[in-house]
Amino acid sequence: MKPSESRIWEPQCECMDRAELEQLQLERLEATLTRVVRHVPFYRRRFEELGFDPDEFRSLEELRKLPFTTKADLRENHPYGLFAVPLRDVVRVHASSGTTGLSTAVGYTRNDMRTWSTLTARVLVAGGVTKEDVVQIGFDYGLFTGAFGLHQGAERLGASVVPVSSADARRQVGIMRDYRTTALVTTPSHALNVADAMIEMGVNPASLSLRHGLFGAEPWSESMRKEIEDKLEIVATDNYGLSEVMGPGVAGECLERSGLHLAEDHFVFEVIDPETLQPLPDGQVGELVITTLTKEAIPVVRYRTRDLTAILPDRCACGRTSRRMARVKGRTDDMLIVKGAKVFPSEIEAVLFEVEGIAPHYQVQVDREAGVDRVTVLVEVSESIFFDEMKRQRKLEETIVKRLAAELGVTVDVKLVGKKTLERSDGKARRVVDRRPRE
Ligand code: DLL
């Protein structure tokens, strides 16, 4: 048996025959649509306007006729306006992290909690975690769904959970060493901070028990994965989710690491063109749209995630039959238009990790001068380079500018800054600082 074959938490669901899965999706979708029409005035109104009757719903394709739900809809109905159950049936409330403004409340019934921990357990198992593992959770415990979500999944599968929360990187290293942590769960940017702290503290990764890293909650690049894996001497997997539909557990990589398996028995996934709003075929990058199939407290229909990805067409070698999505490229609202070209911070990141002599910490600043957007990439460099002669600094700057121009198709400004000048985050990294005046 290949090692990956034994790493499936719920084979009866994750390896389901496709026709059977689609039938299950259809049944669950009908139930969800009936439930929202009955219990959520927002959906009732919208469906009535359309003359849509859930009882006449016959095929998954018909979902495309329904309107999208957006972040603005959630905001207008904050905190409990979109809940389909009374608050007495809600056992937990969390919130989206508010990356792009006000965060919005989400709730879970007892059944939702059960589903959630099952799905995060799937992600953990797919990433190599077993009940023998000691799982260190480095996400912030609070309204953010990351810590509680993965914590519950790890407990569910019987692993030993160390709920450190989003402590400073050195503290994470100390605990990792003392508690013999075998799996680290956090954001990729925090994982890199932990790796750097480990080097500074003179801790040899080979002396630790750490083997797996499950990272998510923010975009990261393949080059960043390599950097983290090399520094921490682990296997790192990517996992994705968003609080509006549940939190972590929506999708996660298996050890094949060729795309994130989608929990299709609990959600319907579509990819649309964010401008025309038309569905895109598998393989094409567009905005991910998610409909919940089993959520009781706050079901959502065609939620526009603003995350850019593609559904991968082929089957994975691991044995799961679920489709996968490509690593998230970024959010539609993170996209910068530089001299007419579309640029994502993750593309900048991928280049930076390949340039020798720079610490891979960066920030993208956007200003507007005389009506034109100006992008400056701040890059941290090692002390030796920063205090080195100007000539060497210039040369490095030029190399980065050239490499970025080759990749992005436009020239952006690059500024080298000293080590640790850029803000470090214990949670999601703030990669873009937008200083353009608000319109
Ligand atoms: O970040 C849920 C989560 C927690 C996922 C822990 C994975 C691990 P929110 O705070 O609501 O929920 O933020 C959701 O974060 O729409 C994406 O833009 C981004 N995001 C989440 N996971 C990834 C990922 C959690 N693996 C928003 N890659 C989403 C890229 C991600 N972006």
Side-chain angles (χ1 to χ4, degrees):
M1 192 191 277
K2 279 171 57 180
S4 55
E5 283 175 45
S6 57
R7 297 209 161 107
I8 302 180
W9 175 242
E10 285 190 309
Q12 72 284 15
C13 304
E14 295 176 74
C15 307
M16 202 187 278
D17 173 71
R18 289 294 310 176
E20 210 182 306
L21 173 70
E22 279 167 25
Q23 182 56 33
L24 180 72
Q25 284 188 317
L26 183 61
E27 283 162 20
R28 289 182 165 177
L29 187 55
E30 282 168 353
T32 297
L33 295 173
T34 306
R35 190 160 356 112
V36 297
V37 165
R38 244 183 238 156
H39 303 292
V40 190
F42 166 83
Y43 286 111
R44 188 181 315 134
R45 252 194 327 268
R46 288 188 136 191
F47 292 179
E48 269 169 16
E49 276 163 22
L50 261 177
F52 171 76
D53 179 357
D55 286 341
E56 287 166 18
F57 192 80
R58 294 284 172 270
S59 77
L60 286 171
E61 282 68 44
E62 284 176 51
L63 181 61
R64 293 182 182 172
K65 294 190 198 151
L66 296 179
F68 296 104
T69 306
T70 63
K71 185 79 193 170
D73 297 324
L74 264 61
R75 282 199 190 121
E76 277 160 30
N77 291 283
H78 176 72
Y80 304 132
L82 292 184
F83 280 32
V85 296
L87 263 187
R88 67 173 173 283
D89 292 341
V90 169
V91 297
R92 176 81 67 77
V93 172
H94 277 285
S96 65
S97 47
T99 328
T100 54
L102 193 77
S103 68
T104 48
V106 292
Y108 304 80
T109 63
R110 211 169 281 289
N111 281 337
D112 290 338
M113 291 302 291
R114 214 167 291 132
T115 309
W116 191 16
S117 39
T118 302
L119 294 191
T120 49
R122 278 190 197 173
V123 162
L124 287 158
V125 171
V129 176
T130 69
K131 70 187 291 295
E132 311 297 327
D133 277 290
V134 178
V135 181
Q136 182 163 332
I137 309 277
F139 282 126
D140 184 32
Y141 280 77
L143 283 175
F144 175 53
T145 51
F148 282 100
L150 284 145
H151 178 129
Q152 290 146 198
E155 258 184 27
R156 178 72 175 268
L157 68 91
S160 318
V161 185
V162 188
V164 181
S165 200
S166 59
D168 144 274
R170 285 177 161 254
R171 185 146 178 264
Q172 299 280 2
V173 175
I175 292 174
M176 197 177 282
R177 183 184 47 204
D178 297 349
Y179 291 60
R180 296 195 294 274
T181 299
T182 58
L184 176 65
V185 172
T186 187
T187 55
S189 56
H190 190 45
L192 196 59
N193 295 342
V194 169
D196 289 343
M198 194 180 282
I199 296 166
E200 273 172 26
M201 291 161 77
V203 174
N204 177 0
S207 69
L208 300 176
S209 310
L210 199 66
R211 283 182 295 120
H212 293 288
L214 288 100
F215 307 129
E218 65 184 9
W220 53 315
S221 58
E222 206 47 49
S223 333
M224 181 147 170
R225 166 162 27 212
K226 192 167 178 312
E227 181 90 16
I228 297 174
E229 289 192 330
D230 290 350
K231 284 185 171 163
L232 288 177
E233 298 183 7
I234 57 167
V235 174
T237 48
D238 186 11
N239 70 92
Y240 167 88
L242 63 163
S243 29
E244 290 86 347
V245 308
M246 192 175 73
V250 175
E253 277 182 330
C254 64
L255 294 176
E256 299 287 332
R257 301 187 304 164
S258 61
L260 291 80
H261 285 277
L262 300 162
E264 289 184 285
D265 47 341
H266 293 274
F267 308 95
V268 172
F269 298 90
E270 301 170 79
V271 171
I272 61 160
D273 178 322
E275 274 151 34
T276 65
L277 306 183
Q278 291 308 307
L280 289 174
D282 286 359
Q284 274 193 35
V285 176
E287 180 178 347
L288 186 68
V289 171
I290 306 179
T291 301
T292 62
L293 294 177
T294 50
K295 279 286 290 296
E296 292 181 343
I298 173 165
V300 284
V301 178
R302 302 196 86 198
Y303 182 70
R304 286 187 63 179
T305 63
R306 299 196 267 194
D307 293 322
L308 292 164
T309 183
I311 305 255
L312 304 175
D314 49 337
R315 281 265 178 102
C316 183
C318 73
R320 289 174 183 81
T321 49
S322 47
R323 292 183 306 164
R324 289 156 300 146
M325 68 176 203
R327 149 196 298 292
V328 171
K329 191 171 169 188
R331 298 173 61 86
T332 46
D333 24 16
D334 274 349
M335 187 178 75
L336 303 165
I337 310 270
V338 191
K339 297 170 196 153
K342 293 177 178 166
V343 173
F344 285 95
S346 60
E347 291 168 319
I348 295 178
E349 177 184 297
V351 173
L352 296 181
F353 273 91
E354 268 148 34
V355 180
E356 196 117 340
I358 58 177
H361 293 283
Y362 70 97
Q363 197 168 69
V364 182
Q365 279 182 359
V366 195
D367 296 277
R368 180 163 296 159
E369 283 168 20
V372 177
D373 287 349
R374 196 184 175 85
V375 171
T376 312
V377 182
L378 305 182
V379 188
E380 280 189 12
V381 289
S382 62
E383 261 143 47
S384 64
I385 293 182
F386 193 65
F387 293 110
D388 209 341
E389 45 179 312
M390 284 305 270
K391 224 170 93 194
R392 259 191 73 189
Q393 273 199 37
R394 278 277 134 72
K395 199 154 171 270
L396 182 60
E397 242 171 45
E398 274 165 28
T399 309
I400 302 175
V401 170
K402 266 197 206 140
R403 294 252 196 120
L404 283 172
E407 182 63 30
L408 310 175
V410 280
T411 313
V412 295
D413 292 334
V414 170
K415 195 171 154 198
L416 303 184
V417 296
K419 224 175 160 187
K420 295 217 163 153
T421 345
L422 299 175
E423 176 200 7
R424 295 284 190 273
S425 155
D426 295 336
K428 299 192 188 214
R430 191 167 164 232
R431 297 296 193 196
V432 179
V433 178
D434 193 342
R435 305 198 292 194
R436 288 173 291 190
R438 292 228 169 253
E439 315 221 305

